[in-house]
Amino acid sequence: MADTQLVWNSILSEAQKRVRKQQFDTWFSNIDFVDLQDKKLHLSVPNSFFRDWLKNHYAHVIEESAKTVTGSDVEIHIGLSANDPSQKNDFAAVEPAKAQAGQPVYVADTPAPLRSDFSFPSPDGDLCLHSQYVFDNFVVGPCNNLAHAAALAVAEAPSQAYNPLFMHGSVGLGKTHLVQAIAHTLLSKHPRPKILYMSCENFMNQFISAVRHGDIESFRYRYRHLDVLLIDDIHFLGKGDRTQEEFFHTFNALYNAQKQIVITSDSSPKEIPAIEERLISRFKWGMVTKLSQPSYETRVAIIQKKAQLKGRTFPEDVVNYIAEHIASNIREIEGAIIKIIGYASLMNKQIDLLLAKDALLDTIDRERTTISIEDTQNAVVKYFKIKLSDLQSKRRSRAISHPRQVCMYLARKLTGYSLEEIGGYFGGRDHTTVMHACEKIENLRVSDSLLAATIEKLTDELHKSVSKGR
Ligand code: ADP
Ligand code: MG
């Protein structure tokens, strides 16, 4: 393999750390490496839609990753592959019986008007349901019982229980699982339901694609004749752009026709920075419910459930060990379970505590010796004597915005998280806001010795707190 290809592979691995898996799979797996010369990185993608999307949303990720790998600024050039598959129509109405992994779960009993020639950037897997994301596999605890009950009610009686249902919570806490569980239940109960489950990113892709192909009418028909619309990760909706406008009208049309709408987001309606007031108020018409971090007992139950789904029973001390050490994110808990099972089969050994500790050495060590965004937030709230909820809010008063900017700066300096991820911890702000905060504090600290001292003190404390272990 050429050296430059190896460099590109490393850039990709870096990028993978900076964006969510789903985003990575959707947007990065279709990039072809062309060349890297004179600090110019040439890439190609299947079509212009892809290119524009990458440029607008992920250029900074590629640039930052390239800089990390090569140590210098790299110019990114994205061209089109010779063979542009956007000409083909890879979206089709699928009947429930045919809806399975790998196929879009668009279910409609009126395929005729959908004949239109939508073209999509790629069949990006986002439209399919995970077979295990059903209610039976969802462990209910104090952290999620309200969201679970509401989701169940909607699945049992769409448009009658809560409309819209808005579920929010930070990453890995079960939003996608619940919204897909609703889809599974509807698919199993109704012979030909008109439901659509998709990520917000996909809604946007399809809208932009429809605009590009002058096919707005059938786009509208498709969305406005659904019985149930399930939209995952609404926080991706762009500020003031036409997709938000379109979503607003789609929402109104469905709502007025008493059709069910379910939405998930990484923050509460009012905390999503890019969403307009009129949509926020609509989201609040129905039921807004939050998923929080699971307690120790719930984590134990989730670990047992996940192990059981993989055909294993973990010894009690192994379950407790995982539950003690991985607290914030259920996706990471699942990753730990997979690691342990994989390690056991690799070593051809029984699963016991010793083996589990070995298998999770990296994961748990990393947890203990690195500073997390939550650590920086806790330190900043304590120092500035403000509330965590204010730090994460949209409030603009200087008493709040200054500590918030300091915190973003510390998170950027001390944790391995990307600008985008850091934004996620501050009420879903976008990466440019975080970048602006970092630049501002960096500049200020040069002239403001008090601020410089504060930052030094907080940095010291944070380093000390993790090296002592938690
Ligand atoms: P989110 O969409 O909130 O980021 P996901 O729904 O993708 O999170 O959940 C991440 C992983 O954690 C999935 O594998 C999901 O099955 C699992 N998970 C989350 N909450 C629960 C729960 N209460 N019971 C069982 N598994 C859960
Ligand atoms: Mg999700």
Side-chain angles (χ1 to χ4, degrees):
M1 193 183 290
D3 287 353
T4 49
Q5 174 74 47
L6 287 176
V7 174
W8 168 241
N9 291 352
S10 311
I11 295 173
L12 268 185
S13 313
E14 273 302 315
Q16 201 161 11
K17 292 183 207 157
R18 291 163 202 256
V19 298
R20 300 199 179 119
K21 181 176 182 312
Q22 186 187 329
Q23 293 171 305
F24 185 84
D25 293 346
T26 306
W27 300 107
F28 288 76
S29 55
N30 283 292
I31 305 177
D32 283 326
F33 170 72
V34 178
D35 194 18
L36 176 63
Q37 253 185 8
D38 304 330
K39 299 190 181 172
K40 289 194 178 93
L41 173 62
H42 293 271
L43 306 169
S44 78
V45 293
N47 57 46
S48 55
F49 176 78
F50 241 95
R51 182 193 55 202
D52 297 345
W53 191 273
L54 275 172
K55 278 190 180 163
N56 291 335
H57 295 83
Y58 297 108
H60 68 286
V61 174
I62 305 177
E63 277 161 15
E64 280 183 20
S65 309
K67 189 164 181 178
T68 306
V69 172
T70 64
S72 55
D73 287 319
V74 173
E75 246 177 60
I76 316 287
H77 297 264
I78 306 176
L80 299 185
S81 327
N83 175 11
D84 180 348
S86 75
Q87 300 314 317
K88 81 172 187 269
N89 174 16
D90 41 28
F91 186 91
V94 182
E95 288 176 13
K98 294 185 205 147
Q100 50 182 254
Q103 285 189 305
V105 179
Y106 177 80
V107 186
D109 64 1
T110 48
L114 305 176
R115 84 231 168 284
S116 74
D117 297 306
F118 267 76
S119 53
F120 290 88
S122 92
D124 57 13
D126 205 11
L127 292 164
C128 52
L129 296 182
H130 192 302
S131 63
Q132 289 194 341
Y133 289 0
V134 294
F135 283 114
D136 276 351
N137 294 341
F138 192 83
V139 174
V140 183
C143 57
N144 59 27
N145 55 3
L146 215 60
H148 172 263
L152 202 58
V154 163
E156 295 294 330
S159 315
Q160 291 169 41
Y162 309 106
N163 202 18
L165 170 60
F166 188 102
M167 298 188 283
H168 66 100
S170 64
V171 60
L173 295 183
K175 302 179 294 292
T176 297
H177 189 137
L178 277 183
V179 76
Q180 292 201 8
I182 297 175
H184 277 298
T185 304
L186 291 169
L187 285 172
S188 68
K189 286 174 55 159
H190 301 276
R192 296 171 78 82
K194 286 189 279 181
I195 71 170
L196 180 58
Y197 161 78
M198 71 193 324
S199 73
C200 176
E201 237 174 333
N202 242 316
F203 177 86
M204 292 157 74
N205 297 348
Q206 295 185 6
F207 176 68
I208 294 163
S209 184
V211 171
R212 203 157 60 99
H213 291 87
D215 217 356
I216 286 291
E217 280 319 306
S218 51
F219 174 92
R220 290 191 174 141
Y221 186 93
R222 174 175 294 163
Y223 283 91
R224 297 181 190 180
H225 288 79
L226 290 166
D227 290 329
V228 181
L229 175 62
L230 309 153
I231 294 274
D232 211 355
D233 293 332
I234 195 79
H235 50 271
F236 285 120
L237 214 51
K239 191 170 194 155
D241 66 14
R242 278 185 67 189
T243 38
Q244 180 152 168
E245 177 81 18
E246 188 60 31
F247 184 77
F248 177 74
H249 294 302
T250 306
F251 183 101
N252 286 344
L254 289 173
Y255 186 86
N256 291 336
Q258 297 184 334
K259 306 299 185 181
Q260 178 72 49
I261 303 158
V262 180
I263 294 161
T264 76
S265 163
D266 69 355
S267 35
S268 73
K270 68 173 180 344
E271 301 275 345
I272 311 173
I275 301 230
E276 293 166 25
E277 199 50 47
R278 55 181 187 166
L279 252 182
I280 294 177
S281 68
R282 275 163 176 74
F283 292 163
K284 293 195 258 181
W285 281 349
M287 166 85 150
V288 175
T289 166
K290 182 176 180 188
L291 291 111
S292 351
Q293 283 188 7
S295 63
Y296 180 79
E297 288 72 24
T298 309
R299 297 202 294 279
V300 165
I302 291 173
I303 296 161
Q304 287 165 338
K305 183 76 176 182
K306 291 281 174 199
Q308 177 210 331
L309 284 171
K310 296 184 189 340
R312 309 289 174 117
T313 313
F314 281 8
E316 203 180 321
D317 53 359
V318 172
V319 173
N320 296 345
Y321 180 74
I322 306 172
E324 262 164 37
H325 287 89
I326 306 180
S328 58
N329 179 329
I330 301 168
R331 194 169 294 140
E332 280 180 22
I333 290 183
E334 189 159 27
I337 293 170
I338 293 168
K339 263 193 188 158
I340 294 173
I341 294 175
Y343 195 68
S345 62
L346 190 75
M347 307 299 281
N348 205 10
K349 282 188 183 162
Q350 292 280 359
I351 294 174
D352 59 17
L353 186 58
L354 204 64
L355 179 131
K357 283 186 175 174
D358 266 357
L360 300 183
L361 206 59
D362 280 355
T363 320
I364 288 177
D365 251 16
R366 208 187 50 219
E367 279 239 319
R368 234 188 281 124
T369 54
T370 60
I371 297 169
S372 68
I373 299 177
E374 284 101 334
D375 291 334
T376 62
Q377 293 187 327
N378 290 336
V380 166
V381 244
K382 204 167 126 205
Y383 183 85
F384 288 97
K385 300 193 176 52
I386 57 171
K387 285 194 288 196
L388 182 61
S389 56
D390 282 337
L391 191 74
Q392 296 167 335
S393 74
K394 281 188 198 168
R395 288 185 51 191
R396 285 163 180 269
S397 69
R398 191 180 137 78
I400 304 295
S401 68
H402 177 67
R404 186 186 296 129
Q405 290 179 330
V406 169
C407 194
M408 288 177 174
Y409 172 84
L410 288 170
R412 184 65 179 151
K413 287 276 169 194
L414 304 177
T415 75
Y417 287 89
S418 65
L419 295 168
E420 205 150 15
E421 284 170 320
I422 293 171
Y425 281 78
F426 292 85
R429 286 180 159 78
D430 70 11
H431 69 275
T432 50
T433 309
V434 182
M435 196 154 67
H436 171 71
C438 295
E439 282 167 6
K440 187 166 163 201
I441 299 297
E442 184 74 66
N443 292 336
L444 266 182
R445 71 180 285 193
V446 179
S447 53
D448 182 343
S449 55
L450 203 64
L451 176 66
T454 303
I455 286 173
E456 202 177 311
K457 179 172 177 325
L458 286 168
T459 306
D460 260 13
E461 272 176 14
L462 282 160
H463 278 306
K464 273 190 206 136
S465 75
V466 293
S467 61
K468 260 192 259 154
R470 299 185 199 161

PDB file of all heavy atoms in Angstrom, residues 176 232-233 331, ligand 2:
ATOM      1  N   THR A 176     -32.641   6.086  20.225  1.00  0.00           N
ATOM      2  CA  THR A 176     -32.846   5.363  18.971  1.00  0.00           C
ATOM      3  C   THR A 176     -33.506   4.013  19.238  1.00  0.00           C
ATOM      4  O   THR A 176     -34.399   3.582  18.506  1.00  0.00           O
ATOM      5  CB  THR A 176     -31.497   5.193  18.245  1.00  0.00           C
ATOM      6  OG1 THR A 176     -31.012   6.496  17.919  1.00  0.00           O
ATOM      7  CG2 THR A 176     -31.636   4.385  16.979  1.00  0.00           C
ATOM      8  N   ASP A 232     -35.350  10.728  14.019  1.00  0.00           N
ATOM      9  CA  ASP A 232     -34.292  10.569  15.015  1.00  0.00           C
ATOM     10  C   ASP A 232     -33.282  11.716  14.891  1.00  0.00           C
ATOM     11  O   ASP A 232     -32.916  12.087  13.775  1.00  0.00           O
ATOM     12  CB  ASP A 232     -33.592   9.225  14.744  1.00  0.00           C
ATOM     13  CG  ASP A 232     -33.059   8.581  16.013  1.00  0.00           C
ATOM     14  OD1 ASP A 232     -33.150   9.207  17.085  1.00  0.00           O
ATOM     15  OD2 ASP A 232     -32.552   7.449  15.925  1.00  0.00           O
ATOM     16  N   ASP A 233     -32.843  12.233  16.014  1.00  0.00           N
ATOM     17  CA  ASP A 233     -31.772  13.246  16.060  1.00  0.00           C
ATOM     18  C   ASP A 233     -32.132  14.555  15.360  1.00  0.00           C
ATOM     19  O   ASP A 233     -31.405  15.035  14.490  1.00  0.00           O
ATOM     20  CB  ASP A 233     -30.466  12.676  15.459  1.00  0.00           C
ATOM     21  CG  ASP A 233     -29.890  11.571  16.323  1.00  0.00           C
ATOM     22  OD1 ASP A 233     -30.122  11.597  17.542  1.00  0.00           O
ATOM     23  OD2 ASP A 233     -29.203  10.686  15.780  1.00  0.00           O
ATOM     24  N   ARG A 331     -24.061   2.695  25.339  1.00  0.00           N
ATOM     25  CA  ARG A 331     -23.358   2.166  24.163  1.00  0.00           C
ATOM     26  C   ARG A 331     -21.969   1.672  24.574  1.00  0.00           C
ATOM     27  O   ARG A 331     -21.498   0.653  24.086  1.00  0.00           O
ATOM     28  CB  ARG A 331     -23.255   3.245  23.089  1.00  0.00           C
ATOM     29  CG  ARG A 331     -22.856   2.689  21.746  1.00  0.00           C
ATOM     30  CD  ARG A 331     -23.012   3.718  20.659  1.00  0.00           C
ATOM     31  NE  ARG A 331     -24.401   4.074  20.434  1.00  0.00           N
ATOM     32  CZ  ARG A 331     -24.830   5.303  20.186  1.00  0.00           C
ATOM     33  NH1 ARG A 331     -23.975   6.285  20.130  1.00  0.00           N
ATOM     34  NH2 ARG A 331     -26.097   5.551  19.987  1.00  0.00           N
TER      35      ARG A 331
HETATM   36 MG    MG B   2     -29.463   7.674  18.480  1.00  0.00          MG
END
